[in-house]
């Protein structure tokens, strides 16, 4: 059976990032947060746009004040007041100064700003009580960057700081990658939707909802295809549809070895290449990953061949395999150039953690900050893969490698940190 790390490598290898020419859209800056930049952004402007003051104070000529002190202050005539946003009118002559405020443009003739705290004003005169350094508190035009400088490379996620940079450079619209499209359907004769009355033997299809939320959180667009019966004809139809409209397809259930587990057989009949059939992971062993020859799909929206994940049916296994295998694939597909793989931290375990040692085992729980150090607290109750209730509020998965059967309380453990803290 494949190890988790081999499976991860195979999956990432199968993913082609979206195309930086074809798979893009233009969005307004106000809606660009969390999107992935598709084209590098170059500044049309110098920054700062012009010499301006970093302080409230007085704009002066350095040579007038270089020997100033409390005992022998230079006394200058104030010829203008320059609030932020106004263009200075005068040129500062020897013996003159301008009252200036933070962010205001430095007037011609002045080269230095003396902070207000180092001055004493009397009507239209100011005494400079301490000699400044030459050019002190002047933010020079283009000193941070010049017009033509690349501000942001392609392939990064736009968060608040990047949005601010883009606004300062007057970039009202941006070219970003379109959201990856992820088709989702659930399989099983026993499944009903959240609003259908339950008959004996039936269960609610929770996987579809959990997966839709995970896909949205990842920045991709979920395409909800509903519940499909354990019926080869219906399954073949939905798979054909899904691979035609999506970049990634997620089904849950029907990949185990039961008589009604049809997914692998149908994928084979559709000429898919089954890349992975099972992974040494708990929960989540029956995991199918398949690709289709790109010629299979007619009217493909994406130029890429869809990547198919047949996830197990058990709700906990669905979440764990999504976090461990599907999320990295969506990230690589999305155009982001780094940080695809999960983040693992070494932390202290609060609880005893057990596994049978046969598969890489993921136990869910919560990271707590104790005296500035993270501690993993295993969720109470059963960690059976069919148990959903204690998955609520999970923000980390503790990982026990193959062969490791026990981690004692206070021992170090690796955890996969989830973003839904
Ligand atoms: P399967 O892999 O199809 O044999 O399903 C394994 C287990 O997961 C069974 O107990 C199913 O009832 C359960 N299950 C399958 N699909 C879902 C779903 N969409 N939502 C919740 N539980 C499911
Ligand atoms: Mg089933």
């Amino acid at each position: 059976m494949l190890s988790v790390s081999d499976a991860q490598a195979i999956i990432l290898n199968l993913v082609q990032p979206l195309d930086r020419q074809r798979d893009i859209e233009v969005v307004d800056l106000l809606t660009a947060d969390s999107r992935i930049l598709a084209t590098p952004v170059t500044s049309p402007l110098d920054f700062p746009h012009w010499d301006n003051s970093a302080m409230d104070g007085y704009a002066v000529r350095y040579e007038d004040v270089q020997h100033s002190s409390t005992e022998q202050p230079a006394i200058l005539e104030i010829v203008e007041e320059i609030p932020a946003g106004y263009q200075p009118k005068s040129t500062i002559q020897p013996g003159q100064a301008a009252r200036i405020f933070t962010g205001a443009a430095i007037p011609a003739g002045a080269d230095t700003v003396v902070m207000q705290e180092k001055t004493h004003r009397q009507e239209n005169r100011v005494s400079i009580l301490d000699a400044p350094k030459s050019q002190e508190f002047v933010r020079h035009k283009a000193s941070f960057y010049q017009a033509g400088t690349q501000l942001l490379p392609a392939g990064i996620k736009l968060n608040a700081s990047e949005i601010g940079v883009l606004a300062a450079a007057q970039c009202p619209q941006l070219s970003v990658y379109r959201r990856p499209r992820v088709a989702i359907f659930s399989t099983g004769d026993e499944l009903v939707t959240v609003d259908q009355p339950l008959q004996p033997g039936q269960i609610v299809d929770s996987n579809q909802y959990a997966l839709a939320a995970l896909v949205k959180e990842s920045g991709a667009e979920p395409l909800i295809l509903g519940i499909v019966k354990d019926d080869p004809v219906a399954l073949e139809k939905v798979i054909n549809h899904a691979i035609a409209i999506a970049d990634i397809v997620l089904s849950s259930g029907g990949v185990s070895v039961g008589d009604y587990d049809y997914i692998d057989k149908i994928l084979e009949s559709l000429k898919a290449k089954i890349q992975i059939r099972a992974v040494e992971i708990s929960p989540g062993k029956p995991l199918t990953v398949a690709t289709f020859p790109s010629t299979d799909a007619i009217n493909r929206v994406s130029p890429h061949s869809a990547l198919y994940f047949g996830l197990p049916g058990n709700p906990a296994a669905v979440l764990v395999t999504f976090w461990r295998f599907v999320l990295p694939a969506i990230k690589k597909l999305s155009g982001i150039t780094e940080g695809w793989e999960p983040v693992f931290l070494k932390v202290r375990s609060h609880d005893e953690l057990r596994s049978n040692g046969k598969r890489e085992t993921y136990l869910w729980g919560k990271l707590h900050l104790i005296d500035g150090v993270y501690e993993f607290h295993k969720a109470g109750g059963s960690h059976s893969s069919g148990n959903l209730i204690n998955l609520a509020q999970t923000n980390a998965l503790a990982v026990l490698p193959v062969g490791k059967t026990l981690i004692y309380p206070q021992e170090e453990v690796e955890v996969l940190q989830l973003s839904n803290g």
Side-chain angles (χ1 to χ4, degrees):
M1 213 188 313
L2 268 182
S3 71
V4 171
S5 62
D6 286 352
Q8 151 105 75
I10 290 173
I11 289 165
L12 279 180
N13 231 341
L14 291 170
V15 177
Q16 290 277 356
L18 291 174
D19 187 280
R20 65 162 61 186
Q21 253 101 46
R22 270 173 311 209
D23 293 322
I24 56 170
E25 58 196 39
V26 174
V27 292
D28 290 343
L29 190 54
L30 267 179
T31 58
D33 51 292
S34 307
R35 303 300 299 269
I36 313 298
L37 192 61
T39 312
V41 176
T42 303
S43 178
L45 304 170
D46 290 334
F47 195 91
H49 316 312
W50 39 73
D51 290 358
N52 72 89
S53 176
M55 284 286 166
D56 294 327
Y58 293 86
V60 300
R61 296 155 47 93
Y62 175 68
E63 57 182 68
D64 287 352
V65 297
Q66 56 184 318
H67 302 301
S68 260
S69 64
T70 320
E71 296 74 35
Q72 284 198 304
I75 300 174
L76 306 172
E77 179 199 1
I78 301 164
V79 293
E80 189 178 354
E81 176 161 316
I82 313 165
Y86 291 87
Q87 197 178 346
K89 294 183 194 67
S90 38
T91 298
I92 303 302
Q93 306 292 340
Q96 295 184 337
R99 176 74 169 122
I100 198 162
F101 298 91
T102 305
I106 304 284
D111 55 17
T112 299
V113 171
V114 180
M115 65 196 288
Q116 172 174 312
E117 292 83 341
K118 301 280 172 66
T119 63
H120 176 68
R121 181 167 181 170
Q122 279 177 305
E123 293 171 3
N124 71 335
R125 292 190 180 276
V126 62
S127 303
I128 308 299
L129 305 177
D130 197 5
K133 294 194 199 95
S134 172
Q135 310 201 19
E136 196 166 22
F137 301 128
V138 175
R139 296 191 284 223
H140 286 106
K141 174 178 158 73
S143 58
F144 294 163
Y145 57 81
Q146 295 178 325
T149 303
Q150 182 179 303
L151 297 176
L152 301 173
I156 60 165
K157 188 169 177 183
L158 299 174
N159 292 320
S161 50
E162 291 78 22
I163 299 283
V165 167
L166 292 165
Q170 290 199 312
C171 301
Q173 292 195 313
L174 303 157
S175 158
V176 298
Y177 286 99
R178 68 169 173 81
R179 294 182 189 281
R181 285 184 271 266
V182 181
I184 305 169
F185 61 94
S186 296
T187 72
D189 286 351
E190 74 276 33
L191 302 176
V192 295
T193 61
V194 284
D195 47 6
Q196 283 172 328
L198 273 176
Q199 304 299 332
Q202 295 185 324
I203 62 165
V204 180
D205 166 24
S206 60
N207 290 345
Q208 183 122 224
Y209 295 87
L211 283 171
L214 288 166
V215 166
K216 268 197 249 169
E217 246 174 52
S218 77
E221 179 191 357
L223 307 172
I224 308 295
L225 303 184
I227 296 169
V228 185
K229 295 273 184 209
D230 290 317
D231 163 28
V233 176
L235 284 166
E236 182 175 320
K237 196 166 153 216
V238 74
I239 292 174
N240 266 328
H241 177 55
I243 62 173
I245 61 167
D247 304 298
I248 287 181
V249 180
L250 305 178
S251 65
S252 71
V255 287
S256 204
V257 291
D259 291 350
Y260 299 96
D261 293 330
Y262 292 120
I263 296 287
D264 286 20
K265 287 174 217 126
I266 294 166
L267 290 171
E268 277 162 356
S269 77
L270 291 173
K271 306 262 180 317
K273 178 152 193 245
I274 309 241
Q275 309 273 0
I276 294 176
R277 284 178 197 275
V279 182
E280 225 168 43
I281 186 171
S282 172
K285 179 175 82 170
L287 173 75
T288 296
V289 177
T291 48
F292 295 84
S294 43
T295 47
D296 267 2
I298 309 153
N299 297 330
R300 177 173 293 289
V301 186
S302 152
H304 309 284
S305 167
L307 181 62
Y308 189 100
F309 285 89
L311 305 177
N314 277 313
V318 164
L319 290 171
V320 169
T321 49
F322 183 94
W323 283 319
R324 191 63 187 82
F325 300 117
V326 181
L327 188 56
I330 293 177
K331 283 190 180 161
K332 181 168 180 192
L333 177 71
S334 74
I336 201 162
T337 43
E338 56 184 36
W340 304 328
E341 294 180 22
V343 175
F344 290 95
L345 307 175
K346 285 199 167 92
V347 304
R348 190 170 66 204
S349 181
H350 176 264
D351 303 299
E352 182 178 289
L353 306 175
R354 282 188 177 275
S355 145
N356 66 12
K358 295 198 181 111
R359 291 183 262 150
E360 190 167 307
T361 298
Y362 288 71
L363 298 168
W364 43 97
K366 211 164 164 62
L367 284 175
H368 289 283
L369 258 185
I370 312 282
D371 295 334
V373 176
Y374 272 130
E375 196 174 76
F376 177 78
H377 291 234
K378 189 180 123 178
S382 161
H383 280 238
S384 124
S385 49
N387 185 22
L388 254 185
I389 176 69
N390 66 357
L391 266 161
Q393 293 295 294
T394 291
N395 68 8
L397 302 173
V399 188
L400 276 73
V402 175
K404 183 97 181 159
T405 52
L406 176 62
I407 288 180
Y408 291 102
Q410 303 306 311
E411 215 183 305
E412 190 178 74
V413 64
E414 278 219 333
V415 300
L416 189 163
Q417 193 175 20
L418 305 171
S419 57
N420 61 335

